[in-house]
Amino acid sequence: MSTYDVAIIGAGPAGMAAAIETARAGLSTIVLDEQPAPGGQIYRAIEASGPARTRILGPDYAAGRKLAEDFRASGAHYVAGATVWNIDSELSVDFSLPGGSKQIRAGSIVVATGAIERPTPMPGWTLPGVTTAGGLQILLKAQGLVGDDVVFVGSGPLFWLIAAQMVEAGVKPKAMVETVPRSRYLAALKHLPAALGAASYLRKGMAMIAAVRRAGVPIHTDAKEIRIDGSERVEGVSFTSGGREHQLATTSVALHQGVVPNQQVTRLLRCEHLWNESQHCFVPKLDEAFRTTVAGVYVAGDGAGIGGAKSAALRGRLVGLAIAEKAGKAGPEERRKVAEELAREAKIRPLLETLYAPSPEILSPADDTLVCRCEEVTAGAIRKAVDMGAPGPNQVKSFLRAGMGPCQGRMCGLAVTEIIAARRGEPVSAVDYYRIRPPLKPLALSELAALETDEPVPADIQAEAEAVH
Amino acid sequence: MSERTADLVVVGGGLHGCSAALHAAMRGLSVIVIEKDTVARHASGVNAGGVRRLGRHYAEVPISVRSMEIWRHIEDLVDDDCGFQPAPQIKVAETEEELATLSARAAEMRRMGFSHEVILDQAELRHHLPAVAPHCVGGLASLDDGFAIPYNTTFAFQRKARELGVRFFENTRVTTVKRENGAWRVETSVGVFSGHFLLNCAGAWAGEIARQLGENAPVEAIAPMMIVTARMPPFCTAVVGGCGRPLSFKQMQNGTVVIGGGRRGIPDPATNKSEIRFSQLRLSAEAAIGIFPIMKGATIVRSWAGIEGRMPDDIPVIGPSSSEENAFHAFGFSAHGFQMGPGVGAIMAELIANGQTNAPLQPFSITRFAHS
């Protein structure tokens, strides 16, 4: 088994930035990433993006190119197409490659697995033709392909960014159905002075919304009672807005309610997590050097709490520098400078988090709305299990199979926790989350059977083969 | 009687604790169950779910047979079907030697007066298991066994017990048990409980309770590992075990395949954690593919391990305490206690309420470890 000083999971902005620093400090560094090329979700296909597509995706996207170049030149051992499926307590990492599984061991692990879109349970959200806004953007980045009658439903910076990119690409959305309640604007106002410290974000945000509006895309605000209609697939979206009922015909709906840390790896490693009320999600408990409660495990980027791409790269650098410092390969000065820059970036967050908090409707879906898509478990079934005495997500999982499908709860975990907490009248932090079990991603049984290992079969197990099943 | 006083205090909210509590309540006893985590948190909630008389230690057979009678009408007992599915249990012989071993076992069972284990020849094996690998020569079957859903079962026993007045205290850890003025004083993380009778159903954590009663019970915490696959087309309606290599294999009604069978992860009973050892679990994957070639195309969705108590001789401790009056044990089921849960609970309630039972418990006496 190969051993590295540092293993970084994920080659988005945080992972790339961390690798650049640890490799620069002379630490042997391996970067394992699922994608065929560096960039993560935010800078997906950045190296292959030609001038036309780069123009559509904008200057923020283009900024990823320099990072990817520096990463390629850093000397870190980059393994593309590597799906990490387990990390054990000794920090051995199992990952899949086309030829089979490999294992490496690392002194430090940097979890840079970024964010995932928040689950958005609502009537009709599992119909074919419904995607997440992020899913739609993947098509735009990787293939330049999107439909021409997309109705966006939800809220958040990405909600507007992707719509603006589509306008730029010449396939404007059919409509924007924004769920931000009117009262939020007032609540967000008090964070405006702080946000002025990161005024470029405000300007960019307003420009995106203006571009969508200018293109003539109908914008419905303060939308409520949203339902996606259709029998076999999406046929339309119904909602109320401005005191009126609306029905839009469409074949394609893009949902978005912000992004949340991807907790799968840190949960697998049993890192402690805390509930972040402002971001309305769990985040790993970290110290000032981004160390988790598990020795040797760090989290860089949006997995440590949502901050966006620039913040992710800065936090990647900070983690890389902290590891280098611990190894005696760097001093604290540079880390201080980067930390100051990070603090400036963070000034926009309270405003965004207040304005774009998840819509109340998706937090308490109706009883007949599906919450776990893999196992087809409704919100009502979850509430009934709670009423029967199931105390938390793991019992609901055992009882109803919610979260037991191939996605291991990525698509339902937060929603299930919130439903249970509301029903029990307990804080979300007390209800907690699913225990995550390996493999992190589905693994071929034959690949496990072919796993290379030098561990012998213990004699006692053979002897009791008779007794146990 | 105060909220924290009862005729019987059960330590441990696994299937055995819940079943004994339910049966005791049915006999009119007031019962408190104290569980350090939540009900069915460990082995009871996450085991393979085999409802199996097949291949048991000879001493366990009478209890297993009694339990099976309860399983067949489980819904009458707990108002929930517990996901119970009648199904054949089959141990597959991959070689003639293995088949000879199984035949000898079947003969011994018949000699003991039990007829539920029968030998299958190669054609019969293939009839029950059309997808079995061609090299498999036969098997030993108990055709009227089955499987159930472990968490749902234990949860159903808890709910029914609660309905009959049993009080459950979860997230409550027992620290000390002692006799005081003829009653059991049970000190816990949330205060003191007391009961006329005490029942130790604490699984992997039962050794400490026994020690406080002045008894030696060398319980080892183990973490049997399991795999579940993505859904597959239906190909297997029996629960299948290995003979020469450890395997437990079943396809659930939703198409997923659950693979377990003896390979162990790393338990940490102090923290409730258990870790998967893929270097060992690999062997379960290999055995599953070896016996069912169709599994070459299977995809693992999840694996897990639950913490279980194992005795050195792989059979449980069931019966009265040898050192203290009004104290009883039912623990150490050594990774095959699920099927016995309904039956052992009934036996313990009988023993506690009547002071006796005709179940043959002698082989399970805790005294067998007195001098070890």
Side-chain angles (χ1 to χ4, degrees), chain B residues 7 20-31 66 164 345-357:
Chain B
D7 296 329
L22 170 59
H23 282 100
M26 287 163 61
R27 286 175 177 272
L29 271 63
S30 63
V31 186
R66 177 167 172 180
L164 299 190
I347 290 167
M348 295 318 292
E350 188 184 355
L351 186 58
I352 291 166
N354 297 350
Q356 56 178 8
T357 169

Side-chain angles (χ1 to χ4, degrees), chain B residues 286-360:
Chain B
E286 200 176 75
I289 293 170
I291 292 175
F292 290 104
I294 188 178
M295 294 304 290
K296 273 182 214 150
T299 302
I300 305 169
V301 170
R302 198 169 62 258
S303 66
W304 70 94
I307 299 180
E308 160 71 338
R310 179 199 173 208
M311 305 313 295
D313 53 5
D314 279 307
I315 58 171
V317 171
I318 310 173
S321 161
S322 63
S323 57
E324 292 281 0
E325 258 178 64
N326 298 338
F328 301 85
H329 301 291
F331 65 84
F333 286 83
S334 308
H336 49 273
F338 181 63
Q339 187 269 351
M340 306 227 283
V344 172
I347 290 167
M348 295 318 292
E350 188 184 355
L351 186 58
I352 291 166
N354 297 350
Q356 56 178 8
T357 169
N358 57 12

